[in-house]
Amino acid sequence: MFELVYCSAATRGMTALDLQNLLEVSRRNNALLDVTGILIYSERTREFIQLLEGEKDCVEQLLLTITADERHTSVDVMYRGGITDRSFKNWSMAFRQFEELDPELMEGYTTFNADSLSASLCGGRETRARTILSALSKEL
């Protein structure tokens, strides 16, 4: 089993309908591929962070599709590696609005996108992303 975490910037603000449509298609496609995970969207910064879990080839191929999607840009893989268990095994694609997350979980947050972080902060991206996503998996 394999997991990948990436962040990206939306090319425009995403409406509730945009997000609903994106989730419907993602959930259907992910179920066919046996891929699970979570998508987080920040309305304030127009950023996505997503964790994908599944067979490595499926997840890596899905990343290529995601990278080509014109709804976002600056796709930055924060982490990829093997796992023994899925964190989101019951979700073809769980979803949370960033602004609704527990503020304590987000302490020190500025942005997910590496291009907007100083070099000294970039080293902590993997740890912060995995901490956030791990905590969310326990809520679902």
Side-chain angles (χ1 to χ4, degrees):
M1 200 56 49
F2 181 78
E3 80 176 355
L4 182 143
V5 177
Y6 76 88
C7 64
S8 65
T11 53
R12 61 178 175 75
M14 301 291 287
T15 67
L17 183 58
D18 291 333
L19 292 168
Q20 180 181 347
N21 291 336
L22 177 110
L23 288 168
E24 285 176 9
V25 171
S26 296
R27 287 173 174 152
R28 183 176 58 244
N29 291 340
N30 288 357
L32 293 172
L33 297 170
D34 193 29
V35 170
T36 55
I38 187 169
L39 177 68
I40 300 171
Y41 176 68
S42 171
E43 191 173 334
R44 181 177 64 82
T45 62
R46 291 185 6 200
E47 289 176 290
F48 293 101
I49 184 169
Q50 185 170 31
L51 178 143
L52 299 167
E53 309 165 315
E55 294 302 318
K56 184 177 186 201
D57 291 344
C58 287
V59 171
E60 292 286 5
Q61 186 62 44
L62 188 53
L63 179 65
L64 294 175
T65 302
I66 289 167
T67 302
D69 190 321
E70 295 179 355
R71 291 174 285 196
H72 63 166
T73 186
S74 302
V75 175
D76 176 24
V77 175
M78 300 169 74
Y79 173 79
R80 54 167 45 102
I83 56 173
T84 55
D85 296 310
R86 294 177 191 247
S87 296
F88 297 92
K89 62 183 171 204
N90 297 321
W91 292 92
S92 60
M93 187 50 53
F95 176 76
R96 290 289 185 267
Q97 286 280 112
F98 179 81
E99 289 75 14
E100 297 169 1
L101 299 179
D102 181 349
E104 287 185 22
L105 184 62
M106 309 316 312
E107 184 178 344
Y109 165 80
T110 53
T111 181
F112 292 127
N113 193 320
D115 294 337
S116 60
L117 293 176
S118 66
S120 64
L121 290 177
C122 283
R125 290 181 311 125
E126 174 187 322
T127 303
R128 183 171 18 170
R130 289 182 54 76
T131 300
I132 292 167
L133 295 166
S134 176
L136 286 174
S137 73
K138 292 173 179 67
E139 290 180 12
L140 299 174

